[in-house]
Amino acid sequence: MKRSTTCQFYQRYFSAIKGVSWLARQRPEERLKMLEELMQWEVTKVTSER
């Protein structure tokens, strides 16, 4: 019976998050860590010569 309950939980969970961005599913701490890592990169604009 416990296995059935676990299965139902995951079915409901994945139905609820279907269509939600993977980033939105991350914990706030993980999102901040990713942002900090991205902000360390130097962004340059690539221009083409004509």
Side-chain angles (χ1 to χ4, degrees), residues 5-20:
T5 304
T6 303
C7 183
Q8 289 174 349
F9 167 79
Y10 281 109
Q11 286 176 340
R12 289 180 187 151
Y13 173 76
F14 287 114
S15 293
I17 65 168
K18 188 164 100 174
V20 176

Side-chain angles (χ1 to χ4, degrees), residues 19-48:
V20 176
S21 154
W22 67 271
L23 186 58
R25 292 192 304 258
Q26 302 299 314
R27 294 185 335 223
E29 298 86 16
E30 292 296 321
R31 285 184 266 170
L32 287 173
K33 183 179 176 186
M34 281 189 265
L35 180 60
E36 287 173 359
E37 291 174 1
L38 288 171
M39 295 301 288
Q40 292 180 11
W41 292 15
E42 183 178 337
V43 179
T44 59
K45 182 177 179 181
V46 177
T47 58
S48 60

